[in-house]
Amino acid sequence: MKDKNCFILGIESSCDDTAAAVINNGTVLSNVVATQKIHEEYGGVVPELASRAHQQNIVPVVHQALRIANIDKKQLKAIAFTRGPGLMGSLLVGTSFSKSFAFGLGIPLIDVNHMQAHILAHFIKIEGQTMPSFPFLALTISGGHTQIVKVTDYFNMEILGQTIDDAVGEAFDKSAKILGLPYPGGPLLDKYAQQGNKKAFKFTKPRVNPMDFSFSGLKTAVLYFIQREVKNDPDFIAKNMKDICASIQFTIVDYLMDKLKNAVKHTGIKEIAIGGGVSANSGIRQALKEAEKKYGWKTHIPDFAFCTDNAAMIAMVGELKYKSGDFASFDVVAKARMKF
Ligand code: KG4
Ligand code: ZN
């Protein structure tokens, strides 16, 4: 039975985004994200600064999420929070805040696995979009993870393959850094790539098990290539930025698609959903659309707001767990590393 007053608050603080959202029967009423700008100066996330910024942001962010949803905190039915995986100091802020808020309000606390949430974000109701049907394959691509997951049910997930070193988001960010682009470079690299020639330069794709990934070699290949070219022409990067970005992006996207094809072959499942920050990438979005026609796949690509870290996905998982009475105890602890 649908409870029209089922308001769940989601809280996300696993990395460098402080986020809060309210969901009601699969519909997102508010989705507030405070992105921490401080890390740009350092070219990467500084864990200690991230936890401090979370502490400053969390109360106003939650306040705003409730205000936009137009509800009072007393109307909340439960509080869902990211328990892990992520940076310990960052997770601790969201976990401690959620515990005390839920305890104060006398409502249940629900722990959420961040990576499961990236996948289950597909069950947020959006007009005109169909949800994946089980079983489906999820490609979770972010700054911290790269996985292919077989999803048999909401909470029945099996990792078929994953990265053995860097995550794909790191490959984007580190390549962008080599090109002198500010952190996080992924979205900027994507922007330049859209205007460049993807066949201009060739990078070899690393070889590992059919459904696993490796990105550290690509980063080194980009570094050596740039060092070599800059020696001959100090303006090489500026002159070729768009083509370099397009070629790097093409290599990464093609590699992700190779792995997906292997997983489809292995499982016989042709329903594919992507999640995580890198699913905002224009190259992977286009390749997946093309795969529908080319290979008869059915693909699910989340809205931009639900690709990168957000609390709506945490609230979505919270709602699924709330409806099955799956609550956390108040002595639950944050976990930097967490399996499904
Ligand atoms: O899921 P997410 O917001 O945080 C993690 O859990 O890691 O993912 C962030 C990652 C960063 O590496 C960022 O550069 C990358 O997603 N990213 C992109 C794009 N938008 C975000 N990478 C490539 N193209 C994009 N358009
Ligand atoms: Zn994430």
Side-chain angles (χ1 to χ4, degrees), residues 184-315:
L188 266 177
L189 193 148
D190 184 9
K191 205 176 119 199
Y192 285 117
Q194 290 176 49
Q195 303 158 42
N197 171 10
K198 62 184 182 187
K199 298 275 171 69
F201 307 106
K202 198 166 163 42
F203 299 100
T204 33
K205 293 186 271 183
R207 244 179 256 176
V208 282
N209 288 336
M211 290 185 282
D212 284 336
F213 304 83
S214 167
F215 289 103
S216 64
L218 179 66
K219 173 191 68 194
T220 316
V222 171
L223 179 67
Y224 289 167
F225 165 75
I226 294 295
Q227 281 176 342
R228 207 176 51 232
E229 295 295 337
V230 168
K231 226 185 223 171
N232 294 331
D233 176 4
D235 295 330
F236 178 77
I237 297 178
K239 283 181 192 159
N240 297 281
M241 184 63 107
K242 292 171 184 170
D243 288 349
I244 304 168
C245 289
S247 303
I248 296 171
Q249 180 152 310
F250 173 70
T251 310
I252 296 177
V253 170
D254 209 39
Y255 188 56
L256 294 174
M257 291 303 288
D258 285 349
K259 300 298 176 172
L260 267 180
K261 281 183 235 169
N262 292 341
V264 169
K265 204 162 143 199
H266 177 78
T267 58
I269 299 170
K270 287 187 169 184
E271 181 129 6
I272 320 278
I274 57 167
V278 181
S279 50
N281 181 266
S282 65
I284 189 73
R285 292 170 96 90
Q286 193 186 337
L288 282 171
K289 277 282 149 241
E290 284 168 11
E292 295 208 322
K293 285 193 210 101
K294 258 200 213 154
Y295 315 119
W297 295 1
K298 184 157 177 35
T299 65
H300 301 270
I301 303 171
D303 272 18
F304 283 112
F306 306 133
C307 284
T308 42
D309 284 350
N310 66 86
M313 66 182 192
I314 306 301

Side-chain angles (χ1 to χ4, degrees), residues 30 32 128 165 224 262 292 295 322 335:
S30 62
V32 180
D165 43 54
Y224 289 167
N262 292 341
E292 295 208 322
Y295 315 119
Y322 178 79
K335 276 180 92 169

Side-chain angles (χ1 to χ4, degrees), residues 15-16 36-46 143 169-170 173-174 176-177 180-188:
C15 190
D16 58 343
Q36 305 175 359
K37 291 276 170 221
I38 179 100
H39 308 289
E40 278 173 18
E41 289 170 39
Y42 300 89
V45 177
V46 184
E170 283 178 278
D173 296 341
K174 287 177 181 173
K177 194 171 177 180
L181 299 174
Y183 176 85
L188 266 177

Side-chain angles (χ1 to χ4, degrees), residues 12 14-15 114-115 118 141-145 276-277 307-310 313:
E12 156 64 30
S14 65
C15 190
H114 180 91
M115 294 313 293
H118 271 304
I141 39 181
S142 73
H145 297 266
C307 284
T308 42
D309 284 350
N310 66 86
M313 66 182 192

